[in-house]
Amino acid sequence: MDGANKPQANFIAGQWVTSKKVLDNIDPATGAVFAQVCLASVADVDKSAAAARKVHEARTLIDMAPAERGRLLLRIASELNALRTEGAKLLTRESGKRLSDAHGEFDEAIRYFEYYAGLCDKLEGRSIPLGSSYVDYTVHVPFGVTAHIVPWNFPLSIAARSLAPALATANCAVVKVPELAPMAAMLLGNACKAAGVLDGAVSILCGYGTEVGEALTLHEDVNQVVFTGSVPVGQRVLKNLSKRIVPAVTELGGKSAAVVTVDADLNKVVDSVFWGIFFNAGQVCSAMSRLIVPRAMQAKIVALILAKINTLSIGDGLSDRDVTPLISQLQVDRVMAKIEQGIREGATLKCGGVRLNRDGFFIAPTVFADVDGDMEIGREEVFGPVLVIQPYDTEAEALALANGTEYGLCAGVFSQDIDKIGWFTDRLIAGQIYVNEWYVGGIETPFGGMKMSGSGRDKGHEAIYNHLQTKNVAIKLSSS
């Protein structure tokens, strides 16, 4: 850590505020501290929520012309773009991801503000005919104060993903960034300030989930919550919100499967393996963590995947290596425990399964084969660079395996047969289905889960309605 650097402050109601309590920001590639961040408190939550409530009740954002709100979002995008080069280095340093992927995360965050800027003036109500004596119409109104609880794997992108539509719909926001990778996401405060966002309309806090996150979900000034994280924490968030009947959008865990049919192009399968499970060290909710393959083809597919793994470079994200570290020692311990469980269950370990002998939090790319539907390694989320391969004999069995977990975030099909593609996509239980390439789609396409993977949708047109309520106005006309 550079001792000349001051701890990163929190952005509260338009001001940067320090605190006596700080936490260390650790570089996952080395395990060393490189910066410190001020920890927000429950009192900071109170200040942020009260400031947001004041702006909301003043109706400044609500009364602003929608086109002007759009221009405000475009200014935020521009200011964030000005921070992109140095910000990407910071994001790589604190999260461990490749520098090219950190640049991509900034690009994605910028794109959210640009995309929702274009929707600000297109949110129209409708007229409902009730007869000549009445006028009836609907209008969309904001919730007021929204809370955004952001995970550490894509902190900047996921913060922007919900903050942009919240501001586009005239909501105010309190964002809790993750304590494991907070600093790049906190640059949103710089961008909002420079863009001219009203003081109080946005606050960005770094604090522990058990303290700051908990306070946000229980706060009487918070009218809506957007949460991305694990199922257990999501359940606690929903339990807290149920006390006040506060709505939530939740994107939780996944154990997403890709079904490979006998006619699939195996080059496309192997190309998707890197992005599907080894990108960002497998720390992706929508990762392709399961590959469901014809039993007779399992050996060939495993050989192709192992050959692909042998081409991957290992190292720190600033060097833009393929295999990068996990976020923390705790995450290493969790992933290694899952790997050891898979070995005990009898899954065939084809490669990896070990922590790499180097500084930082590296685990070797890991592949298990011969995984059946009863093994925990094939049912529970690992959140690390671990691919499980599940063989099948019939397509009905493949479908049962794909749908056989409590999750329903993503699923995929690799096939050249349009009839098979249609059959599987109709029956797979997941919020998004990828065909012949993992992560097909973009900011324009809705994203969210089924079953235990959450409710509501981020991204696309659907997301903007997360932040709006419908009000109906019915008028009895005076008789002539």
Side-chain angles (χ1 to χ4, degrees):
M1 183 186 70
D2 182 355
N5 291 338
K6 295 180 180 179
Q8 168 67 53
N10 289 277
F11 186 68
I12 301 176
Q15 305 299 320
W16 291 102
V17 179
T18 60
S19 64
K20 293 181 179 179
K21 289 186 178 181
V22 297
L23 60 81
D24 293 333
N25 202 357
I26 295 173
D27 183 341
T30 65
V33 176
F34 76 94
Q36 288 187 319
V37 183
C38 293
L39 272 174
S41 65
V42 172
D44 294 323
V45 172
D46 291 338
K47 293 175 186 175
S48 301
R53 172 62 53 196
K54 184 176 180 180
V55 172
H56 171 66
E57 291 181 349
R59 295 186 58 89
T60 311
L61 283 174
I62 297 171
D63 292 339
M64 185 183 293
E68 181 55 36
R69 279 205 305 277
R71 285 189 282 270
L72 176 63
L73 265 67
L74 289 175
R75 291 197 298 273
I76 296 173
S78 178
E79 295 295 341
L80 195 57
N81 186 59
L83 300 168
R84 177 182 181 273
T85 300
E86 293 304 314
K89 294 176 184 177
L90 177 60
L91 180 57
T92 291
R93 193 85 187 274
E94 67 180 353
S95 70
K97 66 183 58 181
R98 298 189 305 180
L99 183 60
S100 58
D101 296 329
H103 279 119
E105 186 165 339
F106 265 82
D107 292 340
E108 191 168 77
I110 292 162
R111 178 71 179 124
Y112 280 120
F113 287 99
E114 293 173 341
Y115 180 79
Y116 289 108
L119 290 180
C120 286
D121 57 357
K122 300 170 183 67
L123 300 171
E124 301 168 347
R126 64 191 180 101
S127 173
I128 302 172
L130 294 180
S132 60
S133 299
Y134 301 91
V135 171
D136 189 284
Y137 60 92
T138 64
V139 292
H140 299 299
V141 297
F143 280 98
V145 179
T146 63
H148 308 251
I149 301 175
V150 178
W152 46 259
N153 55 340
F154 297 96
L156 175 67
S157 175
I158 292 177
R161 186 172 79 182
S162 58
L163 178 60
L167 290 175
T169 49
N171 287 278
C172 298
V174 181
V175 181
K176 191 202 90 67
V177 297
E179 59 270 23
L180 286 176
M183 293 176 70
M186 296 187 86
L187 291 174
L188 285 168
N190 299 74
C192 287
K193 183 75 172 178
V197 174
L198 288 167
D199 288 352
V202 175
S203 291
I204 303 177
L205 309 176
C206 175
Y208 293 118
T210 52
E211 184 176 1
V212 172
E214 185 88 351
L216 278 171
T217 61
L218 293 170
H219 204 285
E220 61 181 9
D221 279 331
V222 171
N223 307 114
Q224 185 231 21
V225 171
V226 182
F227 171 80
T228 301
S230 69
V231 169
V233 179
Q235 290 171 325
R236 183 170 182 84
V237 167
L238 293 172
K239 181 179 179 181
N240 286 350
L241 297 178
S242 70
K243 298 173 183 177
R244 295 188 298 119
I245 319 298
V246 171
V249 178
T250 57
E251 193 250 288
L252 308 177
K255 189 68 174 177
S256 301
V259 176
V260 179
T261 66
V262 292
D263 63 297
D265 183 336
L266 296 187
N267 290 324
K268 292 181 178 178
V269 175
V270 174
D271 286 345
S272 283
V273 165
F274 171 76
W275 289 107
I277 188 60
F278 299 132
F279 158 68
N280 204 39
Q283 300 168 125
V284 186
C285 292
S286 52
M288 186 180 74
S289 53
R290 295 187 292 147
L291 205 57
I292 300 175
V293 306
R295 191 176 303 276
M297 297 172 64
Q298 180 180 223
K300 179 179 181 180
I301 291 171
V302 167
L304 291 171
I305 291 172
L306 296 184
K308 175 69 174 180
I309 289 172
N310 286 335
T311 70
L312 301 180
S313 59
I314 301 171
D316 66 274
L318 289 174
S319 301
D320 224 37
R321 304 300 184 184
D322 299 316
V323 178
T324 52
L326 278 72
I327 189 69
S328 68
Q329 178 62 51
L330 178 60
Q331 190 63 16
V332 168
D333 294 342
R334 288 171 174 169
V335 172
M336 288 304 303
K338 297 286 188 182
I339 290 171
E340 291 161 8
Q341 173 68 20
I343 294 170
R344 287 195 300 271
E345 290 177 317
T348 304
L349 181 64
K350 290 294 186 178
C351 72
V354 296
R355 182 172 182 174
L356 296 176
N357 185 23
R358 58 187 301 144
D359 291 337
F361 310 126
F362 291 84
I363 289 180
T366 299
V367 177
F368 281 104
D370 304 306
V371 176
D372 64 41
D374 294 327
M375 294 180 181
E376 289 185 13
I377 194 68
R379 291 187 290 106
E380 294 185 356
E381 186 175 40
V382 175
F383 221 65
V386 180
L387 174 67
V388 300
I389 299 178
Q390 298 178 290
Y392 70 87
D393 296 307
T394 68
E395 289 175 355
E397 181 186 357
L399 180 67
L401 283 169
N403 289 337
T405 73
E406 64 183 5
Y407 300 107
L409 188 54
C410 302
V413 183
F414 288 86
S415 177
Q416 299 182 80
D417 186 327
I418 192 63
D419 292 329
K420 289 181 181 180
I421 290 171
W423 189 85
F424 276 108
T425 57
D426 283 348
R427 291 165 176 79
L428 288 167
I429 303 171
Q432 39 277 312
I433 311 296
Y434 306 129
V435 177
N436 289 330
E437 180 182 289
W438 203 258
Y439 298 134
V440 179
I443 284 169
E444 304 84 357
T445 54
F447 178 81
M450 297 180 180
K451 299 194 288 187
M452 295 289 280
S453 289
S455 61
R457 292 294 179 267
D458 291 303
K459 302 169 58 174
H461 282 211
E462 283 82 355
I464 206 160
Y465 293 102
N466 290 337
H467 305 281
L468 291 169
Q469 304 175 90
T470 298
K471 179 187 289 186
N472 181 254
V473 179
I475 302 171
K476 174 66 170 73
L477 300 176
S478 299
S479 57
S480 55

